Amino acid sequence: MSITQILFWILTVAVLFSAIMVISSKNPVHSVLWLVAAFFFISGHYILLNAQFLAIVNIIVYAGAIMVLFLFVIMLMNLNKSTEPLKNRSLQIIGILSGGCLLLVLVAALRNTEISENTALVNTGDAGLIKTLGRELFTNFVVPFEISSILFLSAMVGAVVMGKKD
Amino acid sequence: MKIELILIPLLPLAGFLLNGLLRNYLSKGLAGIIGSGTVLGSFILSIAAFMQVKAGNIAIVEYFDFIKTGSLHIPFAFQVDQLTAIFLLIITGVGFLIHLYSTAYMHDEKPHHFARYFAYLNLFVFSMLLLVMGANFVVMFIGWEGVGLCSYLLIGFWFKKKEYTKAATKAFVMNRIGDLAFLIALFMLINKLGSVTFTEIFTPEALSKLSGFDITMITTLLFIGATGKSAQIPLYTWLPDAMAGPTPVSALIHAATMVTAGIYMIARSNLMYSMAPGTLNCIAIIGIATALLAASIALKQNDIKKVLAYSTVSQLGYMFLALGTGAYVAAVFHVMTHAFFKALLFLGSGSVIHAMGGEQDMRKMGGLSKYMKITHITFLIGCLAIAGIPGLSGFFSKDEILAGAFGTSPVLYVLGLIGALMTAFYMFRLYATTFCGSFRGTAEQKSHLHESPAAITIPLIVLAILSVIGGYVGIPEFLVHGAHTLKDFLNPVFAQSATELEKLGHQHPSHSTEWALAGLSSLLVLIVVVLAWNRFSKKPDMDEAKGLGKLLQNKWYVDEIYDAVITKPLNRLSVFFSSVFEKNIVDGIVNGVGKLVSYGGRQLRWMQSGQTGAYILLMVLATLMVFVLQFFLRK
Amino acid sequence: MNALVLSAIFGVVMMFSGIFFKKKAPVKATAIVALILLLLANSMEMQGIRFFNLNVSAFLAFNDYALFFNGIAIFATLIFTLVAADDMTKVGVYFADYFALIFFILAGITITTSFTSLLTLFLGIEIISIPLYILTGSEKRSLKSNEASLKYFLMGSFSTGVLLMGIALIYGSQGTFTIDKMNFTLHPGSNLQIAGMLLLLFSMAFKASVAPFHFWTPDVYDGAPTVFTSFMATIVKVAVFAGFVRLFGGAFEKLNETWSLWVGIMIAATLFVGNITAVFQQSVKRMLAYSSISQAGFMLFAVYTMNDIAREGLLIYATAYCLATIGIFAVLAKLSDHSYEGFNGLSKHQPVLAFAGTICLLSLAGIPLTAGFLGKFYMLKSAIVGGQNVALVIFAVIMAAISSYYYFRVIQAMYFKDGPDHSVKAGALEKYTLIGICVLIVLLGVFPNVFLSWLYF
Amino acid sequence: MPINYYIVLSLALFTIGVVGVLTRRNAIIVFMCVELMLNSVNLLLVAFSKMQVAKDALPVAAVDGQLFVFFIMVVAAAEVSVGLAIIVMMYRNIHSVDINFLNRLKH
Amino acid sequence: MIALLLILIPLLGGIITFFIKPEPGARTWSLLTSIATFVVAIIGFTLCDTSALQYQAPWMGILNSSFSIAADGMGAMLCMLTSISFPIIFVSTWNTPYSNAKNFLGLMLLAQAGLIGVFLAMDALLFYFFWELALIPVYFICSQWGNEKRIKTTFKFFVYTFFGSLLMLVGILYIYAKTGSFDITAFYNSQLSPKEQMWAFWLFFLAFAIKMPVFPFHSWQPDTYEQSPTAGTMVLSAIMAKMGVLGLLRWLLPVLPVASFAWGDTISTMAIIGIIYASIIAFRQDDMKRLVAYSSIAHIGLMCLAVFAENRSAFQGVMFQMFAHGINVLGMWVVVEIIERKFGTRKMSELGGIAKKAPVLTIFFFTIAFASIALPLTNAFVGEFLMLNGVLGVNPQISKYGFVMAISAGLGIIFSAVYILRMGRKVFLGETNALTEKGTDIAFHEKAILGIIVATILVSGVYPQHLLHSFEDITNFILHKSDVLPLLNQKH
C-alpha cells in the first residue's frame, strides 16, 4: 500500500464526510465551512493527480472567492443560526432513498465498463502543469476563452440589474 | 295513337294545373267546367282507345327514358290492352259522373277551395290513369303512389279539422307500408330479370327463370302492396276513416277506382300469380277473411258512410277471393259492377247527407223516400244490385265469384255465401232505416228536406241504369252460351294463365251445379232482404248495442289494438331514444371524452405542485427509472 | 461567426446606449438597427461573405443549417423587438440592459446552434441561461417574477450539473469533447457512453422543456414578465432544439436505437402533459406556457426521426412557432387581465389585435394554409415516411385535436363573447408588425416554396 | 489508481449533492449542493484526463479535460454571482430564502 | 380554367365583401358574386369541354403536391348544387338581420370557395386543405350568429370534425409515404397490403362519417343545426354533408377497395341503425330544425349504405340523391327560415293552421315535403329507388344481407312519411291559433326561390336521365377501381 494510496483513501473519506456534513448540518454557516473543507480535500485529490494548476484555482476561486461570497450573503441575511425548520420527514426520506438508488444504479451500471480496467495516472505527468495548460488555453482554446468573456459580461450586467436598488 | 294516349292522362293533368294555379281567379262555374270537361275529354279519348283495342290492335308506346343506367332500362311507356281499356272506361266514365256530381255537391265551398277540390280530383284521375296505362311496374308505381297522394289530399281536404288530417296521414302511411313491399318486389324483379316491363317479364320463358321461392316472394310482396292500396287485412283500417273526405271523393277514390288498383295490379300480373299457387291460396284466404270481417262490422254501424265503407272493404275482399281462386275475369267483372253500384250508393248517400245538412247518422233519418224520390229509387236499385238480386249487375259478378270459389273449395263458397247474406242484410238495414219509417231528425232539418239538383240526380240515374244493365256484359255460361262478352274480350290477357291454372287443377263447376248454387244463393238473399226490410222499416235498432253487437260496433277494436301494439310503442321508443339514449349514450360518450380530458387536466395538477424540491425529485425519479430500464431490463 | 461577434459587440453597445441616451426611443432604435445589421451580417455569411477568417473548426462550425437557424432567431428577435419593445419599458428601468442581455443571449444562440465541441455547447447553453435567469426576475417588485427567477435558476443550475456529468462520462469513454472525433460503438459494457448520452438527453430535454423535465416551464413562463416569456418560449427554445438536433443527429447518430425509444416516450409524455394540462388552465398566459410544452413535443419529432424531412421541418416549425407565439404574446401583453375573460369582446374594441391573435392561434392549432400546419405536417410526414410507428403519430394528432380546444377558447372569447375593454392602446408600429406577422404566417402556409427554396440556394 | 475508484467517488459526491438539493429548503444550501455536484464532475474530469495520459492517447486529450474543468469553474463563478443576486433580491422581498415559500406559481 | 374560376370568384368576392361597409351593398355584392359563380358553373358544365373543367398548377411542389383540380360528373354536379344553393340562401335570408352582415356574407362566400374546392380537388393534400377551409368559415358563422347555446354546441362540432380530419391527414400521409405523391391517380394505384388497408380505412372513414354524419358519430349534428343561423344550417346540411359522401366515393372506395369491402357489412349495419334510429327519434321532435336534422341523418345513412353496396345502381342513386337531398333539404330550411322569421318560433306545438293564412307557402312546403319522402316524379324518388335497388341487388360476394338491408332501410321511407307529414299537419293544417292568426303569405322573392327549388325538384324528378347520364363515366370508373371481386375469386 503505497503512500499515494493511503493519501487517496484518507482524502476520499474526508471528502465524502465533509460533503455529507454540508447537507446534514443545520447551521448554514457550518455547511458553508464544511463545503470549503470539501473543496480543500478535492484540491488534495487534484494534487494527487498532479493537476497543480486546477488545485490552486480550485482553492483560490472556489474555496476563496465563491465560498466567501456565500458566507457574506449568509451573514448579510444573518441566517447563521439554524433558522431552517425541518422539511417534512417523508420528503426527506424519499429524497435520500432516491439519491441512494441513483448512486446504486449508476455505480452498478458503470462498474465494469469499457474503461473499467484503465487506471488514472497519479503524481506524474505534465498535463496538469500551468505551462501546458496556459499554452493550450491561449492558443487552441482561445475561442471558448473569449466566449466565456461574453458569459461574464452578461453575468455582470445581470448582477447589476438584479442587485442595484431602483 | 301516341298522342291520343298521352292526352288521356294529360288532359286531367292540365285541368289540375289550371285549377291549381288559377284557383284564386277562377269562378266556381269555370273551375267546375275545367274539372269535369277535361275528364270528359279523356273519357271520349278512352272510348276511342277502347275501340282501337276492340279492333284488336294493342298499343305499347314509349315516350322517353325515365331511368337508364347500365343494363337497367326503365322507359316512360304506356300500354293499352283489353284490361287497361276496361279500367280506362271505368275511371274516366265514373270519374266524369262524379266530377259532374261534385259541381253541385261542393257548391257551398269558397271559390278557391272549390277550384282546389277539382284540382285534386283531376290530379287523382291523372295518377289513376298513369297507374292503369303504365307499360311497366315503375310507371304503374308512379300512379300507385300518386293516387295515394291524392287520397291523402282529398281526405284531408277540410284541413282545419285535426281528425280529418289525422285520417289522411293514416291513409297515406298505411299505403306507404304496402308501397314498400311493392318496391321491394320491383327490386327483386329488376335484379332477377333485369326488367320491369310487363311485356318482357310476363312471358313463360322469362318467368321460368325465377326460382319457386323468388316468384312466391315477389308475388307475396306485390300482394302486400295490394292489401295496402285495396284495404285488405291487415291494412284495411284506413279506408273507413277515409270517409272523412267529401262524399264524392269516397265514391270515386274509396269505392270505384283507387281501391281497385290492387285488383288491377294482380290481374295485370296474372301469369306470375298463376305460377305461384301458394300466394293464390293466401290471397283467397285473406280476401274471404276481409270480406267476412268487414261485413260483420258493417252490420252494426250507424254512420251511413261507414256502412258503405265497410261494405266496400268486404266487396274488395270478394274481388281478392276471385283473384285467389284464379277467376281473374270475375274479379275484373266485379270491379266494374261494383264501381257502378257502389259509386251509386255513395253518391246517393251523399245526396241524402246533402239534404240532411251534413247529418250522417242514419238513426236521425228515416222516411226520406217521401222527400227525395229519385235518390230513393236509385238508392234502392243500388242496394238490390249489391245484394245480388238476380237480374241486376251485382248478381252476375258475385255469382261468378262464388262459382269460382266453389271450384276451388266448397268451404270458400260457403263462407262467401255467408258474406253475401250479411251484405244483403246490412244494405237493407241501411236502406230501411234511411228511407222507410218516419223522419226522426229535427224539425229544422225536416223543414228543408228536398230533392237534390239535377247535377246530382243525373249521375245517380245514369249509374242506376248502369248498375242494372252493367251485368249483362258477362252473362254466365250456364244461362246463355257464349254471352260472356267480357270474358271473350279479356281472353288475350288471361289466356296464358288459364293454361297455368289447368296445371293447378282449378276445374270449373258443371252447369247443373252452377244452377243449383245460383238458385240457392238468390233464394237465401231474397229471404234475408225481406227479413231486414221488415225488421228495420218499423223501428231501427236505436238501443245501445251490447255483447257481440258492441264488439262489432267497435270494429273488433282493431284500431285500438294497432294503436297499442304499433303506434304507442314506437312513440315511447322515440321518446326514450331522444331523451335517454341519445343524450346519455351517443352524445354522452362524446361529451364523456371531453370531460375525461379536462378531468385528466385537473388531476395532472398535483405534479405541478409549485415546489422546486418536488420538481427536482420527480426529475430524479424519472432519470432513475430510465436508467434502471435501460441498463437492467432492456436487452 | 459574423453573427456571434457582432451580437457580442452589439450587446456591449446596448449596455452603453443606456448611458448615452436618457430616452427610451433611441435605445429601441439602436436595438432595431443593430438587429437589422445582425441579420444582414448573418445572411452575408450565408452567401459566403465572412468578416472574420479564424479557424474555429475545433469548437464552432457555421454550416448552412446553423446559419439558417441563427437567421430565424435573429429575425424573430427583430420582430419581437418591434412588437414588444414598448412592453419591455413597463418591466423595469434597465431598458438598455435588457437589450444587452438579449444580444448576449443571441450570441449564446449562435454558439448553441453551431457547436462542434461539447465545451462550446456547454458554454452556449450557459450564456443563454444566465441572462434568462435575470430577465425572468427583471420585474423586481413582483414576487411572482422573483419566485420564477429563483426556481428557474435553481433547477437550471441543477440541470447544468446533470449536463456536465453527462459530458464527463462521454469524455471518459471517448477521450475527447469534439463531436467529429467521437465514434460510438455499441457493445456490451459500453454503459459509460450510454449513461453520458442519456444524461445529456435529460439536460437538453430540460432546456427544451420536454416532459418529464418540463416542470419549471409553466411556473417560470407564468411568473416571468410577459415580454420575456414570449422571448424565452420562442427564440430560446428554438435555439435549444437546434442544438438538440445537432447533438443527437451528429454525435449520437450511432446510438440511435438506444435513445430513439426514450425520445419516443418523451414525445408522447410531452404531448400528453402539455395538452391535457393546458385544457384545464384558467389563465391564457399559463395556457400558452403549457401549449409551448406541447409544441415542444411536436418539435421533438425532429429529434425522434433523424431524417432530412425532419431537419427541414424543424426550420419551418421553428419559424412558424416563433412568429405565432410572439404574435399571440404581443396581444396578451396588451391586456391587463390575462385570464380568458380578459379576451372577451376584443374583436369589438381592438379588431386588429383580435384578428392578429386569431391568425396566430390558428397557426398554433395547425389549421391548414397557416405556417403552423406546415410545421406539424412536416413533423408527421417525417415520422411516417421514416417508418417510425404510426401509433405515435396518431396519438400526436389526437393531441393536436385536443389542442384546438384551448386555442379556440381564446378565439371564442375574442369574437363570440362581449366584455369590457381591458386592453391598452397598441402603437401603430406594433399593429403593423402584427399584421406583418399574420401575412408572413399565411404566406408561409400558402406558398411554402418561396421560403423553402432558400434552403437549397 | 484504478479509474473506477474515481468514478465511484465522484458519483458519490454527485449523489450527495443531489440528495442535498432534494432535502434542504434553504435556497443557499441547495445552491451549494449544486456547486458540490459541479465539483464532483470536476474531479471526475481530472481523473479521466489522467486516465487518458495513462492510455498515452494523444496528450492534448488530457489537457482538454483539465481545461474543461477550468471553464466549469468560470461558469460556476458567473452562476454564483447571478444566483446570489437573485437570492438576495428574493430575500429583500419576502425576508426568507426558504424555497418552500416559492409556491405562488403552481398548477 | 372554369374550374379555377369557380373557386376564385367566391374566394375573392368573399374577401372583398369584408371591406364593404354598408349592409345593402354587402348583401347585393355577395348575391352578385354567388350568381356569377352560378353562371360560370352553368356555362362551364353545359358548353365547355372537359379540358376547360380541369386546371393544374405547380403548388407546394416541395411537398410533391400540386394544385390540380378537375370536375368529373360527380364534382360537376356538386358544384352545381353549391353554386345554385348560395344565391338561394342569400335571397332567402335577405331580410334576416345580422349584426355586421358583411363579415357574415364574406365568410359564407369563403365557405363556398372551400366547398367547391373540396368537390374539385384531385390532389390529396389540396383536398385536405379545402376540407378545412370549408370548415373554418362555417364554424365562425355558426358560433357568431347562432342561437343562445351556439358557442358550446358549434365548438363541439368543430373539435369533433377537426379530430376526424386530422385522422384523415394521417391516412393521407401514410399513403403518401407509400406512393411519394399526393396526386389522386397515385393514390388509386397505391397498392396497400390488405392488412394496412384494414386500419388505414378507419382513418379516412372516421373523417367522412363524422362529416356526413353517420350513426353513432352524429350527435353533434342536431344540436348544431338547431343552434346555427339557418343560413349556416343550410350550408351544413345541403352541401357540407355531401363532402363526406363524396369522400367515400372518391377517396375511400377506390383507394382502399379491399378494406372497403371487408368493412362493408359493419358500415352498412351502422348506416341502417342510423336510418331507423334517427327516423324514430324524428317522430317526437317538436323543433322543426331538429326534426329536419334527424331526417337528414336518416337520408344520409341511406346514402352511406348504398355506397357500400358497390354496384352501379347504388352509385348512380347515391350521386343523384346527393343532388336531390341537397335541393330538398335546402327547400325545407328556406320554409323553416320563413316561418321562424314570420312567427318567431320553430316549435310545432306553438304553430298550426298556417295553410289558411299562407296557402302559397303551404303548397311549396308540401311539394318539398313529398319530395323529401321520395314520392314518385320528385327527384328523391329516383335517388332512393336506385339506391335501394342497388342495396337489394348487392353482389352476394360483397354482402349476403342485401335483401334484409333493403327492407330495413326501406322502413326509413315509411317512417319519413310519418314524421314529415306530422310536421306538415302540426304546422300548416288545423285551426289557426293566436300566434299564427296574424300570419301573412310569403313575399315575391321568397316565392321566386321556392319556385326555383320546386321546379328543380319536379324537373329532375320527371326527367332524371340527363343528370344520371352525366354520372356514367365516373360511376364506371369508381366501379372499376373499387372492384375487389377478381381478388376474391383468385383467392378462393
Side-chain angles (χ1 to χ4, degrees), chain B residues 176-210:
Chain B
R176 259 291 156 121
I177 298 171
D179 298 348
L180 175 62
F182 194 119
L183 268 181
I184 300 288
L186 256 61
F187 299 146
M188 288 186 76
L189 276 173
I190 292 171
N191 290 300
K192 300 281 188 245
L193 301 180
S195 164
V196 286
T197 310
F198 298 139
T199 49
E200 290 170 13
I201 44 178
F202 294 145
T203 61
E205 314 65 79
L207 288 174
S208 57
K209 287 206 217 92
L210 294 171

Side-chain angles (χ1 to χ4, degrees), chain E residues 417-438:
Chain E
V418 174
Y419 53 74
I420 294 278
L421 292 184
R422 172 170 169 273
M423 173 174 167
R425 209 178 74 233
K426 284 192 169 301
V427 175
F428 288 92
L429 308 182
E431 277 299 345
T432 55
N433 59 22
L435 181 64
T436 53
E437 197 47 56
K438 58 186 183 322

Side-chain angles (χ1 to χ4, degrees), chain C residues 16-217:
Chain C
F16 290 109
S17 73
I19 304 163
F20 296 140
F21 307 119
K22 285 283 149 283
K23 282 221 159 47
K24 295 212 160 71
V27 178
K28 181 175 157 192
T30 329
I32 291 168
V33 172
L35 281 164
I36 291 166
L37 290 176
L38 209 52
L39 199 54
L40 283 176
N42 189 67
S43 32
M44 276 178 170
E45 188 164 5
M46 281 165 134
Q47 305 305 334
I49 305 163
R50 295 194 165 67
F51 299 163
F52 316 90
N53 288 321
L54 308 172
N55 174 21
V56 296
S57 57
F59 299 98
L60 298 167
F62 296 94
N63 56 7
D64 288 341
Y65 194 66
L67 287 172
F68 207 92
F69 252 108
N70 300 349
I72 293 173
I74 297 165
F75 179 68
T77 318
L78 177 59
I79 296 225
F80 164 77
T81 319
L82 288 173
V83 288
D86 292 357
D87 304 318
M88 273 160 81
T89 60
K90 300 192 199 71
V91 174
V93 294
Y94 305 100
F95 189 56
D97 300 333
Y98 299 150
F99 274 118
L101 289 172
I102 286 174
F103 276 99
F104 290 139
I105 292 176
L106 277 179
I109 287 172
T110 51
I111 296 166
T112 316
T113 53
S114 50
F115 69 94
T116 56
S117 154
L118 293 178
L119 174 56
T120 32
L121 172 66
F122 163 61
L123 285 174
I125 286 182
E126 282 306 306
I127 295 177
I128 293 174
S129 307
I130 289 177
L132 276 185
Y133 302 150
I134 297 155
L135 290 181
T136 311
S138 55
E139 205 170 352
K140 288 154 76 177
R141 288 274 172 283
S142 125
L143 293 179
K144 279 189 162 192
S145 170
N146 298 344
E147 174 179 345
S149 161
L150 186 53
K151 272 183 180 170
Y152 192 17
F153 170 72
L154 288 176
M155 296 164 104
S157 45
F158 179 82
S159 83
T160 310
V162 175
L163 175 77
L164 287 171
M165 180 51 90
I167 292 176
L169 294 179
I170 297 286
Y171 173 69
S173 73
Q174 299 297 325
T176 174
F177 297 105
T178 318
I179 283 170
D180 314 341
K181 297 209 187 101
M182 301 178 182
N183 61 336
F184 295 93
T185 51
L186 272 179
H187 54 78
S190 63
N191 288 353
L192 202 59
Q193 59 194 21
I194 291 178
M197 181 270 293
L198 284 176
L199 286 174
L200 275 172
L201 175 64
F202 297 153
S203 54
M204 290 308 281
F206 176 91
K207 297 292 179 197
S209 69
V210 168
F213 304 94
H214 65 284
F215 298 104
W216 61 276
T217 318

